[in-house]
Amino acid sequence: MPQLEEFNRHRPLLFSIAYRMLGSVMDAEDIVQEAFLRWQSAAEDEIQSPKAYLSTIVTRLCIDQLRSAKAQREQYIGIWLPEPLVDRQPDAGEQVVLSESLSLAFLVLLEQLTPLERAVFLLREVFDYDYAEIARIVGRSEAACRQLLHRARQRITDGRPRFTATQEQQRRVTALFFQACASGDMQGLLTLLAEDITVWSDSGGLVPAARRPVRGCHNVARFLLGLARHAPADLAIVPAQINGQAGFITYIGGRPQSVVALEIAGERIQAIRIVVNPEKLRAVPALGG
């Protein structure tokens, strides 16, 4: 099989690993490109299994990047959320498998783990690599990898999101949410919000946004209706899948202004995550694009 064709066969997997490791579309694409360059320059006798070779490169590059980015993450202004992965026309055949492990809630939860724990957890729990493969990829013994996985599970199991809404429920709740916000219907909005709902907004300090979480259904309803009242006349709202969950993109003047992900369970919205940091909207398609 030609070299490029072989690499492209593994590209969706490589992007999926890199994105879940880093929480950034742009950085994940850069990592995959670097893996391709190393793949091109590798000697044939170095590569016994293309999948294993490429997975190792991507995973180790991500671990290194997470370690070097630690100080920057600690200095981040306000709430940090992953760069959203937007799909305005979801398709199961696209470059990543949309699942619970892709959600913003899950990616935020992974921030509790060390880079090595994160790699082992994802390779085992999400991508189903066996312990021998994981050990070779991260350069640790199988026993050490089992211990790393045990610690990772302990840290995140309790907070792991559980999405119970069907796609039809997500569409219905999202439509009612739009209607209530647009009409200023406080009572209608409250019927859609869980009592303990939280809204997180990520601006990176670059644009105005709430720097602390907004908690509780009444506070969240007032916050959302306040945003709706002050929306500019040329605001456009486009429903979309955000990291595999219901959500939407807002546009002003045809340019993306925010990406909003709704965490829905049953008939209630459990959490809302809003990304307005313009640096995290660079991969979002323009209106009509």
Side-chain angles (χ1 to χ4, degrees):
M1 181 182 295
Q3 193 177 40
L4 179 59
E5 184 179 345
E6 176 71 20
F7 180 84
N8 284 336
R9 191 163 70 87
H10 299 289
R11 184 185 288 272
L13 170 66
L14 303 177
F15 179 86
S16 294
I17 293 172
Y19 176 72
R20 286 170 171 84
M21 282 288 291
L22 302 175
S24 167
V25 176
M26 306 293 281
D27 288 347
E29 290 175 345
D30 288 345
I31 291 287
V32 172
Q33 181 61 26
E34 176 63 24
F36 177 65
L37 295 175
R38 297 192 183 195
W39 162 262
Q40 282 187 310
S41 60
E44 285 189 18
D45 58 0
E46 287 184 65
I47 305 172
Q48 297 184 11
S49 164
K51 178 185 174 183
Y53 181 84
L54 291 167
S55 298
T56 300
I57 291 175
V58 165
T59 301
R60 292 183 179 182
L61 286 173
C62 288
I63 289 172
D64 290 344
Q65 182 153 324
L66 284 173
R67 286 170 174 163
S68 65
K70 186 174 184 293
Q72 289 179 318
R73 190 70 57 82
E74 290 172 348
Q75 296 170 6
Y76 195 81
I77 297 174
I79 298 164
W80 180 91
L81 293 173
E83 181 183 346
L85 188 63
V86 173
D87 195 344
R88 296 201 309 205
Q89 294 180 317
D91 182 344
E94 289 295 325
Q95 73 182 142
V96 290
V97 177
L98 300 181
S99 66
E100 169 262 350
S101 72
L102 193 64
S103 70
L104 293 183
F106 184 75
L107 296 179
V108 168
L109 202 58
L110 291 179
E111 290 294 300
Q112 300 178 47
L113 307 181
T114 67
L116 200 55
E117 288 171 344
R118 190 164 180 161
V120 171
F121 181 86
L122 288 171
L123 290 171
R124 180 62 184 164
E125 296 286 289
V126 176
F127 298 104
D128 201 30
Y129 284 73
D130 63 37
Y131 284 105
E133 291 176 304
I134 296 170
R136 286 192 293 269
I137 288 172
V138 302
R140 296 291 191 277
S141 68
E142 290 187 42
C145 289
R146 290 178 187 275
Q147 185 60 36
L148 285 164
L149 179 63
H150 178 70
R151 287 206 303 265
R153 282 174 173 164
Q154 283 185 318
R155 288 189 184 186
I156 73 172
T157 295
D158 290 343
R160 194 164 184 172
R162 293 289 184 268
F163 302 109
T164 58
T166 64
Q167 286 192 341
E168 179 55 37
Q169 285 176 315
Q170 289 189 41
R171 282 193 291 268
R172 181 168 63 254
V173 170
T174 302
L176 291 171
F177 175 80
F178 287 151
Q179 183 179 349
C181 288
S183 63
D185 181 3
M186 170 68 83
Q187 194 55 47
L189 190 54
L190 288 173
T191 64
L192 298 172
L193 305 180
E195 286 290 329
D196 58 350
I197 186 174
T198 301
V199 173
W200 292 270
S201 302
D202 176 346
S203 71
L206 300 177
V207 293
R211 292 194 179 181
R212 295 182 179 179
V214 180
R215 304 184 188 277
C217 60
H218 286 84
N219 290 333
V220 167
R222 285 191 289 269
F223 172 74
L224 294 171
L225 294 180
L227 292 178
R229 280 194 301 271
H230 294 94
D234 61 345
L235 177 74
I237 299 175
V238 178
Q241 288 276 302
I242 311 300
N243 289 66
Q245 305 298 324
F248 55 93
I249 311 165
T250 66
Y251 292 89
I252 297 177
R255 300 181 62 181
Q257 191 72 13
S258 70
V259 168
V260 182
L262 305 177
E263 184 178 315
I264 299 171
E267 300 292 333
R268 294 291 183 98
I269 301 172
Q270 305 294 321
I272 301 174
R273 292 174 176 83
I274 306 172
V275 179
V276 292
N277 182 340
E279 293 183 349
K280 295 185 178 182
L281 302 180
R282 292 174 295 177
V284 178
L287 188 62

